[in-house]
Amino acid sequence: MSAPLPDAALDQLFRNARTRNGWKTDPLPETLIRAVYDLARMGPTSANSSPARFVFCTSEEAREKLAALASATNGAKIRQAPCTVIIGYDLDFADHLPRLFPHDQTASSWFPKGSDVEQTTAFRNGTLQGAYLMMAARSLGLDCGPMSGFSNAKVDEAFFAGTKVKSNFICSIGYGTDEKLFERGPRLAFEEACTIA
Ligand SMILES: Cc1cc2nc3c(=O)[nH]c(=O)nc-3n(C[C@H](O)[C@H](O)[C@H](O)COP(=O)(O)O)c2cc1C
């Protein structure tokens, strides 16, 4: 049986966590980047398909390459943050299913190459894994700054040429500052967003 997390943990993960637009510029150690992935990869995906592919852009060169393909405001954030992750999804994810879903060796046949189910499964689960990555980062004390204001086609060409990996969204991670922080936006009330059927 798991116990509810203490309030301090819930504050860190949800209530006080903000989308950051300003960043401390100290480099992120690779051990921390690996620790984020080690947690994120444990989140559930259909048939354990794990379609997300992550490019952690930490070098000056990679951050500049990515920043140039983003909107001007997002580009400035990418240049400042020590790391911006490209969250992609691999349409060839099913090739790994014999290893990732050993209970059923026919699982890769559920996702025919080029089919809608392959696209939907990759995008759905890759998006979920992007969210797991953000919560993993927050759980390790990091801040996140997710962004979709960039050219997916150009990022695919620059980072995923010759593969079946497509970019979904990008997310800066590091230690955020209050620079350019928006007022916290309201959220929908339970009654507006939920029903109990
Ligand atoms: C997938 C995704 C894409 C986003 N794209 C952008 C973006 O391109 N530019 C931007 O300034 N903020 C972007 N945001 C940030 C959202 O506006 C922000 O997370 C939301 O308003 C909640 O802010 P809060 O976490 O501080 O409450 C994006 C967020 C997500 C999750």
Side-chain angles (χ1 to χ4, degrees):
M1 279 286 282
S2 301
L5 292 175
D7 256 355
L10 301 179
D11 286 347
Q12 180 172 327
L13 289 170
F14 296 100
R15 299 185 193 115
N16 295 343
R18 296 300 316 279
T19 296
R20 296 289 163 182
N21 295 316
W23 299 95
K24 292 187 181 159
T25 55
D26 316 63
L28 272 197
E30 186 177 326
T31 47
L32 191 49
I33 291 172
R34 287 177 174 273
V36 169
Y37 177 70
D38 267 0
L39 291 176
R41 68 181 181 154
M42 300 314 292
T45 53
S46 352
N48 199 29
S49 51
S50 309
R53 302 291 177 265
F54 304 100
V55 181
F56 292 88
C57 297
T58 59
S59 68
E60 189 77 38
E61 186 198 354
R63 288 186 298 137
E64 182 50 46
K65 188 159 90 168
L66 183 59
L69 305 176
S71 69
T73 44
N74 286 343
K77 297 183 228 174
I78 295 164
R79 289 185 179 96
Q80 187 183 36
C83 178
T84 298
V85 192
I86 305 169
I87 294 106
Y89 54 97
D90 187 1
L91 291 168
D92 277 339
F93 69 89
D95 295 350
H96 299 278
L97 287 180
R99 179 163 63 97
L100 297 180
F101 198 66
H103 336 297
D104 190 334
Q105 286 299 311
T106 69
S108 52
S109 70
W110 305 339
F111 307 100
K113 296 284 181 194
S115 64
D116 285 353
V117 70
E118 177 192 64
Q119 164 68 36
T120 305
T121 303
F123 186 67
R124 175 185 296 137
N125 291 282
T127 305
L128 281 171
Q129 289 186 277
Y132 302 148
L133 187 89
M134 291 195 281
M135 300 315 287
R138 286 176 171 179
S139 72
L140 293 176
L142 293 164
D143 290 301
C144 297
M147 293 167 275
S148 51
F150 66 95
S151 165
N152 287 85
K154 288 181 181 164
V155 166
D156 293 352
E157 199 180 303
F159 289 90
F160 300 128
T163 75
K164 297 286 282 297
V165 180
K166 304 287 173 204
S167 58
N168 184 347
F169 68 102
I170 59 179
C171 184
S172 295
I173 59 174
Y175 298 100
T177 67
D178 287 348
E179 188 191 338
K180 299 194 188 117
L181 185 65
F182 289 110
E183 288 292 306
R184 180 69 127 173
R187 300 304 203 251
L188 296 178
F190 184 89
E191 288 70 20
E192 294 175 285
C194 316
T195 51
I196 297 179

